[in-house]
Amino acid sequence: MAHVIDNPVLTVEHLSMRFGGLLAVDDLSFMAGRQDITALIGPNGAGKTTVFNCITGFYKPTEGCITALHENGEKFLLERMDDFKIPKIAKVARTFQNIRLFGGMTVLENLMVGQHNPLMIASNYTFGGILGLGGYKRAEKEAIEFAKYWMAQAGLMHRADDAAGDLPYGEQRKLEIARAMCTKPKLLCLDEPAAGLNPRESEELNKLLLFIRNEAATGVLLIEHDMNVVMGISDHIVVLDYGKKIADGTPEEIRNDPSVIAAYLGVPDEEVEEVEQEIDEIEEGASS
Amino acid sequence: MEYFLQQLINGITLGSIYGLIAIGYTMVYGIIGMINFAHGDIFMVSSFIALIVITALGVTVSTGLGMTFLALILVLVSAMVIASVFGWTTERLAYRPLRGSFRLAPLITAIGISIVLQNYIQITQGARVKPLQPLIADGYTLMTRVDANGEFAVQISNMQILIIVVTIVLMTIFSLIIAKTSLGRAQRACEQDRKMASLLGINVDRTISTTFVMGAALAAVAGLMFLLYYGVIDFFIGFIAGVKAFTAAVLGGIGSLPGAMLGGLVIGLIETFWSAYFSVEYKDVAAFSMLAIVLIFLPQGLLGKPEVEKV
Amino acid sequence: MTDTVNSPSRAGRHFDIPKIAKDLVVTALIATAIFGSTIAFRTVSASGGLSLELRFAEAFYVIAAVVFGRLLLWIFFWSKAPGQPAVSVPTGLKQGFRAFGAKFGKVFGPAMLLLALVFPFLPTTDRYLLDLSILILTYIMLGWGLNIVVGLAGLLDLGYVAFYAIGAYSYALLAQYFGFSFWMCLPLAGILAAFWGIILGFPVLRLRGDYLAIVTLAFGEIIRVVLLNWYQFTGGPDGLSGIPRPSFFGIPFNRSEGGFADLFGLDYSSIHRIIFMYFLILVLALITNFVTNRLRRLPIGRAWEALREDEIACRSLGLNTTSVKLTAFAIGAMFAGFAGSFFATRQGFISPESFTFIESALILAIVVLGGMGSQVGVVIASIAMIGGFELFREAEQYRMLIFGLAMVVIMIWRPRGLISTRIPSIFLKERKAVSADMVAQGEGH
């Protein structure tokens, strides 16, 4: 029942990750479409974050193949790359479940660090920059403009000069996404972006993610428990349980998949209808 | 072969002293995650206290065996008690006010305390080295070899036996304290999660103070042993012994008691063998290079738990 | 806690006599254990072994002083009623202070610079003061150099003095063996120190926090031990002497015809060279400051600070953290190398004794006391520490003791250093200082 994707930005094939005796991810294969929002869902401990850490190079998988594909046909085997090269060369960026911002630096500075690599080249690896050559000044101006663009999208314009650590939780989440977008990724991996957000913030997040998919032409892969976000904006859902894939398809298909409802929601049969109804309501809310 | 054996004995003796100091570093680092830079100087202070008490009691090599034994116990106890007071006081004055504060702050105060202790002893006891006549003479000849170069005897002195035995006994006692008593349990709890430990009713401040006291008491044992073994002390012995003992603690795996002992032995052996076979001048270089090599290739130390990077 | 509103009906001083008495007894016991043991008895070498010199009176005075001091603390500081601050500062005054501080901060830099420029020509400046300010400027430069490593990149380096030593010995040896001039050696010394920074840094920079600290300390000691024992090359403990003095860009400072005094139509005076030295180190220090400030605004500087804040986030944004750390280490080492070759040429003599761990600790203390990452803080801390150290010149024996105590007291008073706010490297509308609570502490968290 694998979902058909003709233009993937990421393919994961036979991925396994073992920690000592625990098989956290077990022979997982899936794809994420270039213009899709793909959600990776599953109960706690299903191995979702482990999959993320494998994709973004923080763990080296025990087995399997993770490939990032660019439009021009270039392929990058992520499991063989150093973690910092994955955002730099393969253009796969990520955020973290427990937000990791540069708390003592301002919002603008955070976004400038996101553009480190191109700026580094523009400053001739610091040598040109320190002499004040013109090329760097221009590049810096462009970088500030780009940062402003993403600040505007994330609604952080009024916060530009505030320390990231001073922002409220919801804004920190959005800043982390904006910062990841400053690396100009082809695929953005978000680890529970809606966790801890109130409904209004969650709604804003949905808009931001849709903008990233539609306007920035970046594929999104997200882990999420918030069904409002998952059902509302995903094009494609992969369901994990105990490290194994148990379902893969459109939100429609997933919602009607009895094994997902049973395994993932872990609710007795009589409550399934109730949950379905809830999902329906959310769906309606999102489409209206 | 005989020469090797002799160096092995010397190395184990030196390693026991390093190990005893290293325990203080490893316990404090384990519980509050700071390098107690002044610990080496507590060791130095305690060796001076031991010297004072020995002089006051008038023990010499001609004192009878039984009396020497009793006197040494008295020296040991008083050195341990006073060193504990030093340890407790430094923690109370210089580290506790900074708990939960900026991470580098206690390191700087520790360096400050180290400077204070060194200069305090220099002022009160004088800058010159203090020699002590050996109190425990004799030993056993394990084997002798006679060849063209003359005679070479492998010896173990009574002093070396004493050091090794005392170290083993104290190690056992302290390991039991950590493993079996409620105090040890509290220490391990604080090591894991200080906030949670305090929520569960553990007096964290007191536990940390006790840790400093225990470390200082063991450093005092090392101080006495050092004094008796080498017979010369000055106000500066704490620094280099401290750095080497910390090296030992890291080498063994920080936070691990047996690790500290093992690390101490390894450092002691490396230093002794390096001096014996290569050059005395570069023995410190050998010990420090060992530290760098171990940390690079085995960052968790020999017996430490590997640190998992949480993302 | 001292922020609580100062209520008009403030309770008077509140004495809990039994508690105080108990505390004083405990204090007396502890002081007796500490001072009674080490002051009252002094071991002295006598014929036929050691003997004890008894000094009960001195010990008693010290113990009494400690107990009395504690009593004073109880009376004046700890005698508050529960919930009341011991010493309350009105909020208005506090804000006033803060506003003053902000204004002061803006003019402090330029004012200090102006003072530094005219200082040698002030009528009150004599040779002693000039020498002292050269020393202070050397530490300011070292502090600024170390600030890159510790303050910006958050890497704890306890062996910084090694690079200072490498710079000094590079100059001395290059001058001795190849007859290179100071101006040729200065960049070479910096490059060599940076090179060693990279060599030493490469294997160890993956270590975290305190491990890095202890390995850098070990490296510092290794370099010192090698300098101490490599007689043929470094002169061992005797050091190297006869290091050539710098010339005024080729014009020597001497009485000869064509010397500095002759050429500029001045009467010869040995102070000319000292003044020249003063400006030399001032310029070197200002270059350090300029380059650091410039680097902070470049991607590499922002990467350093980002590294201090969160290394994992850095890697997730495509920063090669190893090279980021290495550049911080190497550039910090380079400035130490410059300072080292200046030190060699100023002293004319160097030996391993000048490069002990205590120097590293002193430089680190300057950085931390000043407030990590703050350039102005380093200046204030250097003046306070080196100048303060000099004040106790008379009390030779006691000055290191007082110095150590001061380190402890200042750290407890201001754990974040004197200037703890961070100034952003870039801004859109307004440059707002970031409060110290937000700024991370670097490696080890």
Side-chain angles (χ1 to χ4, degrees), chain B residues 103 120 124-125 130 309, chain C residues 38 41 43 55 210 315 443:
Chain B
R103 189 179 58 92
Y120 170 71
T124 56
Q125 298 293 323
K130 303 277 171 184
E309 191 173 48
Chain C
T38 36
F41 304 97
T43 47
R55 294 177 301 183
D210 295 317
R315 282 189 280 166
E443 283 282 278

Side-chain angles (χ1 to χ4, degrees), chain A residues 29-46:
Chain A
S29 301
F30 72 92
M31 286 187 197
R34 187 170 305 284
Q35 293 281 328
D36 282 354
I37 293 178
T38 309
L40 196 59
I41 63 170
N44 285 326

Side-chain angles (χ1 to χ4, degrees), chain C residues 87-255:
Chain C
V87 184
S88 58
V89 183
T91 0
L93 195 65
K94 259 190 176 174
Q95 276 164 352
F97 261 127
R98 212 161 285 162
F100 173 74
K103 266 190 206 143
F104 179 72
K106 275 201 188 108
V107 294
F108 182 79
M112 281 309 279
L113 183 61
L114 198 68
L115 178 66
L117 284 174
V118 300
F119 181 75
F121 307 112
L122 294 178
T124 50
T125 305
D126 55 7
R127 170 144 191 193
Y128 168 73
L129 275 181
L130 214 49
D131 272 335
L132 179 60
S133 30
I134 290 175
L135 190 67
I136 291 176
L137 280 169
T138 313
Y139 278 100
I140 290 177
M141 177 166 177
L142 286 167
W144 276 340
L146 185 62
N147 210 0
I148 295 176
V149 186
V150 180
L152 294 184
L155 303 166
L156 185 47
D157 183 354
L158 287 180
Y160 191 62
V161 78
F163 304 118
Y164 187 41
I166 287 170
Y169 273 86
S170 301
Y171 171 49
L173 292 169
L174 285 171
Q176 188 179 328
Y177 286 99
F178 301 105
F180 285 6
S181 75
F182 174 75
W183 297 105
M184 236 160 121
C185 290
L186 186 69
L188 283 177
I191 290 168
L192 275 170
F195 174 72
W196 273 98
I198 292 172
I199 292 204
L200 300 186
F202 196 72
V204 303
L205 282 174
R206 74 176 93 170
L207 300 174
R208 303 174 66 85
D210 295 317
Y211 282 8
L212 179 69
I214 204 78
V215 171
T216 50
L217 188 155
F219 273 136
E221 284 298 300
I222 288 175
I223 297 236
R224 193 178 62 83
V225 172
V226 169
L227 291 177
L228 203 55
N229 289 298
W230 198 356
Y231 287 97
Q232 304 90 321
F233 194 52
T234 65
D238 306 333
L240 294 167
S241 54
I243 299 166
R245 304 298 191 142
S247 55
F248 186 76
F249 307 101
I251 306 162
F253 288 96
N254 55 21
R255 281 180 201 282

